[in-house]
Amino acid sequence: MTKVGIVMGSDSDMPVMAKAADILEKLGVEYEMTIISAHREPDVFFEYAKSAESKGWKVIIAGAGMAAHLPGMCAAIFPMPVIGIPMHTTSLGGRDSLYSIVQMPSGIPVATVAINGGANAGLLAAKILATSDPELLQRLKDYSKELKEQVEAKAARLDQVGYKEYMNK
């Protein structure tokens, strides 16, 4: 059953949003991904956010750039957690997106990850779901162990070959 909705305002956000989807897939979490412009198709957006709970979704991951209204509007309508991903923008480097998402009014919280933080958004969604899913919690623990082992392997290689050869992989 789909538990996470992933929504973005433009297909230009896809490379970042795909990272969230990749993490959810790796952890065995079902999701649904779509593109909706809150400004250009407000009726479609409102239906999306209003129907998310009845679809059984527990979390929405919303990515947006510039004015970045998509995450906040999802949070205004959807009663469950919303994770906002501010997108890097050419004009202000994503700070505009970041400020728009984190500056929500009292009563409308949006959890926010780093600019272009798709992978962390996927992990945060999985961690929220894992509070009531012991099997998912174990998969998250296994994932963390994999990350630790990757760092340990890199450190061991550096110790063996030195930084010059390490950099010339």
Side-chain angles (χ1 to χ4, degrees):
M1 174 188 192
T2 303
K3 295 191 175 181
V4 178
I6 300 176
V7 62
M8 65 203 89
S10 169
D11 64 347
S12 64
D13 302 335
M14 187 66 72
V16 173
M17 303 308 284
K19 292 177 183 176
D22 290 345
I23 289 290
L24 293 173
E25 283 181 22
K26 180 175 180 61
L27 295 170
V29 176
E30 292 186 34
Y31 64 90
E32 181 179 307
M33 182 185 285
T34 193
I35 301 167
I36 301 173
S37 172
H39 297 112
R40 294 182 186 94
E41 42 185 8
D43 52 335
V44 174
F45 167 74
F46 280 109
E47 181 57 33
Y48 172 86
K50 283 182 181 180
S51 66
E53 182 181 10
S54 66
K55 291 178 183 176
W57 296 357
K58 304 299 181 197
V59 181
I60 291 176
I61 298 172
M66 298 168 61
H69 289 127
L70 197 59
M73 288 304 297
C74 283
I77 298 168
F78 181 62
M80 308 289 247
V82 174
I83 302 167
I85 304 175
M87 295 295 157
H88 184 273
T89 59
T90 55
S91 55
L92 297 173
R95 290 183 304 280
D96 48 345
S97 312
L98 175 66
Y99 295 156
S100 291
I101 296 171
V102 299
Q103 292 296 332
M104 294 302 299
S106 181
I108 313 293
V110 175
T112 309
V113 295
I115 296 168
N116 285 356
N120 274 351
L123 284 166
L124 182 55
K127 287 183 176 198
I128 290 168
L129 296 172
T131 62
S132 61
D133 184 338
E135 292 173 3
L136 178 55
L137 179 59
Q138 185 57 54
R139 291 192 300 271
L140 278 162
K141 289 177 181 180
D142 294 344
Y143 177 79
S144 292
K145 184 179 176 190
E146 286 176 33
L147 293 178
K148 178 183 178 198
E149 290 169 354
Q150 289 172 8
V151 173
E152 289 171 343
K154 290 175 184 178
R157 183 168 184 272
L158 178 60
D159 288 345
Q160 289 174 345
V161 301
Y163 83 91
K164 289 182 181 177
E165 185 175 328
Y166 185 91
M167 296 302 291
N168 290 324
K169 298 183 199 184

